[in-house]
Amino acid sequence: MLRSKKEKPVFLNRWGCMLIENRPPVLRYAISITSVGIAVGVASLLPYRADPSHFTLFFAAVMVSAWYGGLGAGLVATILSALSLDYFFIAPIYSINLDWQAFVRLAVFFVVAVITSYLTTARRRAEEALRKAHAELEERVQERTAELAEANASLRAEIVERKRAENELWGVQQEMGRVERLARAAVVE
């Protein structure tokens, strides 16, 4: 069942999901900061042997940020993740001091995170475009269905009118046949 556009808030699409462009920017970037904060918290609780690089949690933070907030929020999460990784997990800890090994690790993380952010955002846009195309197609189908129903009703009315005219013509032909027979009988007498 379709709801009218008057019933839905402006920032919601047909399925009740907020489009990225309509989400409040503060919320989009707050999700980025929060997801990186959660990744830092969880990574600091994990023993070093469980996840020696801690990059996995930060990739998840970047993906969530890009999915919810778009490319900008994903890039913010990427930068915050790279800084957090260097500050909290790459020796020397609690300082941002990049030697060439740390720089290479962070550069690889940064490139992969940017690509992940871009691809996540592209997928989200493609999903939204698909939803929009589906909605437009459904609207066109409903318009065509209404046109066909109207044409069907018109044809049915025309069929009824033609049957009525056919019955009248049949009645006139029978009357003419009766009159013709009476006329012949009158001529014969």
Side-chain angles (χ1 to χ4, degrees):
M1 183 173 135
L2 288 176
R3 291 186 263 168
S4 70
K5 291 183 180 180
K6 293 177 184 175
E7 294 178 20
K8 296 185 290 183
V10 174
F11 58 88
L12 293 181
N13 71 5
R14 178 190 157 114
W15 288 272
C17 299
M18 289 189 352
L19 300 174
I20 290 174
E21 296 83 23
N22 297 331
R23 292 179 180 155
V26 171
L27 185 60
R28 290 189 296 187
Y29 292 101
I31 294 293
S32 293
I33 294 167
T34 303
S35 65
V36 171
I38 291 170
V40 168
V42 171
S44 65
L45 294 175
L46 287 177
Y48 184 74
R49 290 183 185 167
D51 188 9
S53 68
H54 297 294
F55 289 127
T56 309
L57 294 170
F58 291 96
F59 281 128
V62 169
M63 288 177 58
V64 166
S65 299
W67 177 80
Y68 185 81
L71 184 60
L75 292 177
V76 166
T78 301
I79 292 168
L80 289 175
S81 294
L83 291 173
S84 298
L85 279 167
D86 186 39
Y87 188 77
F88 293 109
F89 302 106
I90 296 177
I93 296 177
Y94 304 119
S95 68
I96 298 179
N97 186 10
L98 292 177
D99 61 353
W100 69 273
Q101 290 175 337
F103 179 76
V104 169
R105 277 189 266 166
L106 285 179
V108 169
F109 170 80
F110 188 79
V111 168
V112 171
V114 166
I115 291 170
T116 301
S117 181
Y118 174 76
L119 291 176
T120 302
T121 302
R123 178 179 175 174
R124 184 73 174 186
R125 285 184 185 149
E127 288 173 352
E128 289 173 3
L130 182 61
R131 284 184 192 117
K132 182 180 178 184
H134 180 16
E136 289 174 0
L137 180 61
E138 187 174 321
E139 184 179 322
R140 285 179 42 204
V141 165
Q142 287 181 349
E143 288 173 0
R144 297 285 165 94
T145 302
E147 289 172 4
L148 286 173
E150 185 178 315
N152 192 16
S154 174
L155 286 173
R156 288 183 187 273
E158 188 175 328
I159 288 171
V160 167
E161 179 61 30
R162 285 183 185 225
K163 283 188 177 183
R164 187 193 57 77
E166 184 180 312
N167 288 338
E168 279 184 24
L169 180 61
W170 179 253
V172 168
Q173 285 177 345
Q174 285 182 341
E175 184 65 30
M176 285 180 66
R178 192 175 64 81
V179 168
E180 186 179 330
R181 283 191 303 271
L182 286 176
R184 280 191 198 151
V187 170
V188 173
E189 289 179 7

